[in-house]
Amino acid sequence: MRFMIIVKSCPEFEAEVQPDPDPAVMAAMATYHEELAKAGVLLDGTGLKPSRTGWRIHYGQEGGKETRHVVDGPFAEAKELIAGYTLIQVRSREEALEWSRRFPNPVRAGAEAIVEVRELFELDDFTPSEALDKFKAMDAMNKPMIKPN
C-alpha cells in the first residue's frame, strides 16, 4: 500500500522572499526521512517551490471542443496548496498512520501546520482493460525494487 504524506502550504512557504528553512526543521526532516529509508518504506519525498513558479491547466469546452488554458501562479489560499510530500509504501493503513504521526512539524515547533495523508490507487484497484494492461507493463518496467517490511 502506498501513501502520500502531503505537507499543506502556508503563507510563509508562499512568501515572495523565501526565508531560509529553520535548521531544526531541516534536521528533524532529515532524521525522519532517514528512518523511513532504513525501514525500507521511503519511495520519494521533497519540497515544492512556491506556487508563483508554477501554473495550472484549466480544462473546459467551447463550441463543442475541449479547451485547455494555462493560468500562471501564484495561486490564492496558501492553505489549499501543497508545499511538499513524502511517498511511502507500507503493509497497512495503520502502519502509514504510525509513520505520519511521527512526521515533524514542517513549519517549525509550535507553529500551526497541516499534513494530509492519502492512499494512492494501485493498478489492481481498477477493472481490467487493455488500457490498464498498458499501465501495468509501464509500471513493471519502472517499478523500484523497494519491498515493504
Side-chain angles (χ1 to χ4, degrees):
M1 302 177 84
R2 294 176 302 158
F3 289 85
M4 181 177 280
I5 302 169
I6 302 164
V7 175
K8 301 299 264 186
S9 197
C10 64
E12 186 174 329
F13 294 160
E14 291 291 318
E16 187 65 33
V17 177
Q18 191 74 29
D20 284 332
D22 181 329
V25 171
M26 291 297 285
M29 286 292 182
T31 298
Y32 175 75
H33 284 80
E34 184 176 58
E35 290 170 2
L36 289 170
K38 284 181 181 176
V41 300
L42 179 64
L43 295 177
D44 191 23
T46 193
L48 302 175
K49 290 189 176 186
S51 69
R52 70 178 175 278
T53 67
W55 59 90
R56 290 179 175 165
I57 308 296
H58 288 246
Y59 296 84
Q61 212 175 62
E62 288 179 17
K65 292 179 88 174
E66 181 181 62
T67 61
R68 296 174 190 202
H69 299 282
V70 176
V71 178
D72 290 323
F75 306 114
E77 294 299 323
K79 65 182 180 184
E80 300 298 326
L81 300 173
I82 296 171
Y85 69 92
T86 298
L87 188 62
I88 60 174
Q89 184 170 19
V90 294
R91 292 175 292 214
S92 67
R93 182 183 188 282
E94 293 74 24
E95 186 178 356
L97 180 60
E98 287 304 314
W99 279 111
S100 64
R101 282 187 176 137
R102 295 172 54 190
F103 199 91
N105 184 322
V107 179
R108 67 185 160 283
E112 285 192 28
I114 297 174
V115 173
E116 178 179 331
V117 181
R118 305 273 301 273
E119 185 175 357
L120 277 66
F121 276 111
E122 302 296 342
L123 293 176
D124 290 338
D125 293 335
F126 300 102
T127 302
S129 69
E130 191 173 314
L132 186 63
D133 290 341
K134 288 181 182 181
F135 278 110
K136 286 183 177 184
M138 286 186 289
D139 190 50
M141 288 189 301
N142 296 316
K143 189 165 267 231
M145 293 298 164
I146 298 173
K147 294 184 170 106
N149 293 342

